[in-house]
Amino acid sequence: MSADSQVRVKVYQLDKDTNWTDRGTGFCTLEDCQDMALSFQEQEGCQSILNQIHEFDRLLKEHTLDQSKQPVGIELPAPSMGNLDEVERTIIECNKTVALRDQLVLFITHESYLDQLRDLHETCEELEAVEELHTIYSIIRHILLLNDSSIFECIIRDDNIIGVAGMLEYDPLSPVKPGTYRDFLRYQSHFEEIVPFEDPEIEDRIHQSFRLQYLKDVVLAQMIDEGMLSAINAGLFYNHAQIANYIHHTPAFADKLFGIIRRHENPKKMHGVVQFVRQYFAMTKNFPVAYRLGLFRSLSQHGLFAVFEYTLQQGDRALRVVGADMLMSMLDQDRMLVRSYMLDQQSQAHKEPTLLELIIQGLQGDECPEIQHTCREAMRILLDTVGPPFESMDMSTDLMAGTMAEKETDDFLGMFYDTQAERLLAPLLRLTP
């Protein structure tokens, strides 16, 4: 990319603790090859870089495809009950050097080797060949310990995930009842769409993310190491970014989703919207701050705050707790946005309680101590005049943001003391002679 077409961005780098560290601002070029997260000041710049990434990805896939057509240096023997020990030894040896490991990964992912293992595993189960089942478990374990993202991409495909889950049920040191992992993935992992996704690729990303999370939290919990965790987290982050980007750039989806709350449709669907938003908050928690701000500001334009208002008025205590926690998360990220919404809401005629009134009600009268505490913290943040409202792009926008934040703070405090302070202080005032 030429110098005059460089795009100014805010740069974040993922540290070893999976936290995003602000590295300041700079110019993004196609030659920047480090693992970074970028926050763009303008949509046009983002689209420009995204187009180049897509083109690079296309060329890389063509190159990989060409490579896959070439004979690889490492080949595993077709698995049988008589040579499983040989297969295991070969995998262990290949994992000792980077070159052999890469060749082995290429062989496994392009030669349908997992299909062959799955078929043999099914035969061993029918014959109740316990020793061979334990060896197949060890083989798939060592394949996973190659810690390569393409291996995990291969494993979580529809045609592989059930078979691999079955192999992992036969850990000789910590066995589970045969079928445990497979039955869960078959019968209890159905994704219920509150609003249909129009993009099949996004649906696939959602299924892949669920499977990766299940592998991480349950199936592989006893064997996971730092390298495997890194490979799984990289896959999760990529899928989550794709899902978030789809929602961010598909206004019709957000309108339909929050329209369920606005239209007061059946309680089951409304609860489904709450759970969707809760998962969305959890999914995006590791995104760079500036990117999260953009995502939630976009959703707020389509009705996000209606979810908080709905949950805080429900008789279901658990639902109120979820709503209060999500609202606190929103305040921690973007106090300025929440205040702006409350100011707009106060300036309009309304029959239902405002969000600010609901917070005060929760603080004063909710029977749940947890909700009272959360609402008290929410009021503290709303009335706090110290601290930046959000992270900004550069020095010029910092100054602009500071000016806007100061005016917004004055407007909000003025509205609060004019309309809500007496309501909040009423319990104290009743004690005053």
Side-chain angles (χ1 to χ4, degrees):
M1 178 182 291
S2 61
D4 60 353
S5 61
Q6 290 177 332
V7 178
R8 187 172 179 80
V9 296
K10 193 171 183 66
V11 183
Y12 298 85
Q13 185 173 25
L14 193 64
D15 62 25
K16 63 180 181 180
D17 297 320
T18 68
N19 297 316
W20 287 100
T21 303
D22 186 350
R23 295 301 185 189
T25 58
F27 290 101
C28 179
T29 71
L30 193 60
E31 288 74 26
D32 292 337
C33 297
Q34 300 181 47
D35 291 330
M36 298 287 185
L38 307 177
S39 177
F40 292 84
Q41 193 167 14
E42 297 179 356
Q43 183 175 353
E44 292 78 6
C46 176
Q47 191 62 50
S48 173
I49 295 298
L50 188 61
N51 290 339
Q52 294 180 67
I53 292 173
H54 285 164
E55 177 63 17
F56 181 78
D57 185 54
R58 182 186 66 79
L59 295 173
L60 183 62
K61 287 179 178 177
E62 290 179 357
H63 177 68
T64 302
L65 183 61
D66 291 339
Q67 278 191 322
S68 68
K69 295 177 181 177
Q70 302 297 323
V72 295
I74 292 294
E75 292 188 12
L76 295 174
S80 67
M81 295 181 69
N83 71 352
L84 289 175
D85 289 338
E86 178 187 353
V87 172
E88 182 181 11
R89 284 195 302 271
T90 303
I91 294 173
I92 292 172
E93 286 301 313
C94 288
N95 201 15
K96 292 180 179 179
T97 70
V98 174
L100 290 178
R101 182 170 65 243
D102 290 346
Q103 292 180 42
L104 179 60
V105 167
L106 191 62
F107 175 82
I108 292 172
T109 55
H110 287 87
E111 300 297 329
S112 302
Y113 201 76
L114 292 178
D115 292 346
Q116 299 176 54
L117 279 175
R118 178 198 62 214
D119 294 342
L120 179 60
H121 180 266
E122 291 174 355
T123 300
C124 292
E125 279 196 313
E126 292 173 359
L127 298 175
E128 297 183 355
V130 176
E131 183 177 347
E132 284 77 8
L133 288 169
H134 288 167
T135 307
I136 292 175
Y137 163 83
S138 184
I139 288 171
I140 196 66
R141 175 177 175 271
H142 286 295
I143 289 175
L144 290 169
L145 288 171
L146 295 172
N147 295 335
D148 189 280
S149 58
S150 59
I151 289 288
F152 282 97
E153 289 173 11
C154 186
I155 283 174
I156 61 177
R157 292 204 310 249
D158 292 346
D159 54 341
N160 286 330
I161 184 63
I162 299 299
V164 171
M167 299 176 210
L168 291 167
E169 291 169 353
Y170 286 90
D171 181 355
L173 299 179
S174 182
V176 298
K177 181 180 178 181
T180 299
Y181 300 150
R182 286 171 284 185
D183 287 347
F184 181 85
L185 289 167
R186 281 193 185 109
Y187 308 119
Q188 300 184 43
S189 62
H190 296 298
F191 172 66
E192 182 178 353
E193 289 185 323
I194 307 301
V195 173
F197 289 92
E198 303 297 335
D199 188 339
E201 182 180 351
I202 296 302
E203 291 188 351
D204 288 342
R205 295 292 179 192
I206 293 171
H207 292 306
Q208 291 172 13
S209 296
F210 175 84
R211 292 164 184 171
L212 280 172
Q213 196 70 51
Y214 183 65
L215 288 173
K216 173 184 173 181
D217 294 341
V218 180
V219 181
L220 305 178
Q222 300 298 318
M223 73 169 75
I224 200 163
D225 62 9
E226 186 175 344
M228 188 184 298
L229 182 62
S230 177
I232 293 176
N233 284 341
L236 285 171
F237 183 84
Y238 179 76
N239 286 340
H240 291 168
Q242 294 294 312
I243 296 166
N245 191 58
Y246 171 85
I247 295 172
H248 181 54
H249 293 289
T250 312
F253 179 88
D255 286 337
K256 291 177 183 177
L257 182 72
F258 299 126
I260 294 172
I261 299 290
R262 289 193 296 267
R263 292 189 298 271
H264 298 284
E265 296 188 14
N266 70 74
K268 183 178 179 180
K269 291 191 71 173
M270 296 175 77
H271 290 190
V273 173
V274 175
Q275 294 305 320
F276 181 95
V277 175
R278 181 187 188 185
Q279 292 170 2
Y280 188 80
F281 271 63
M283 182 181 72
T284 59
K285 68 180 180 180
N286 289 326
F287 288 4
V289 173
Y291 185 53
R292 285 206 311 271
L293 295 182
L295 294 177
F296 289 118
R297 288 191 170 214
S298 175
L299 288 183
S300 71
Q301 297 174 7
H302 300 279
L304 174 61
F305 284 98
V307 176
F308 306 144
E309 294 163 357
Y310 166 71
T311 55
L312 290 175
Q313 297 181 79
Q314 296 307 299
D316 186 335
R317 171 175 171 171
L319 203 61
R320 296 199 311 278
V321 169
V322 169
D325 287 344
M326 289 192 300
L327 177 59
M328 271 301 298
S329 177
M330 191 77 169
L331 277 167
D332 286 337
Q333 294 176 61
D334 199 347
R335 179 180 62 195
M336 188 174 180
L337 176 61
V338 181
R339 285 174 171 175
S340 177
Y341 174 80
M342 291 177 171
L343 284 167
D344 289 343
Q345 195 176 40
Q346 191 65 38
S347 66
Q348 301 170 4
H350 49 82
K351 297 180 181 179
E352 299 293 329
T354 65
L355 179 58
L356 183 55
E357 290 169 349
L358 291 172
I359 293 173
I360 295 174
Q361 289 176 14
L363 187 157
Q364 293 178 337
D366 199 291
E367 62 185 18
C368 174
E370 183 177 354
I371 295 175
Q372 288 185 3
H373 172 75
T374 303
C375 289
R376 182 165 59 249
E377 284 299 297
M379 285 304 307
R380 181 187 64 78
I381 294 173
L382 285 167
L383 297 176
D384 189 6
T385 60
V386 180
F390 54 83
E391 288 195 34
S392 50
M393 285 292 294
D394 53 30
M395 184 62 68
S396 62
T397 52
D398 280 341
L399 295 174
M400 183 183 302
T403 303
M404 291 174 58
E406 185 176 351
K407 182 180 185 305
E408 173 266 339
T409 300
D410 291 342
D411 291 344
F412 177 81
L413 292 177
M415 179 274 288
F416 169 77
Y417 286 113
D418 288 342
T419 64
Q420 302 298 332
E422 186 173 349
R423 181 194 303 269
L424 178 63
L425 298 175
L428 293 176
L429 296 175
R430 283 195 293 269
L431 299 176
T432 304

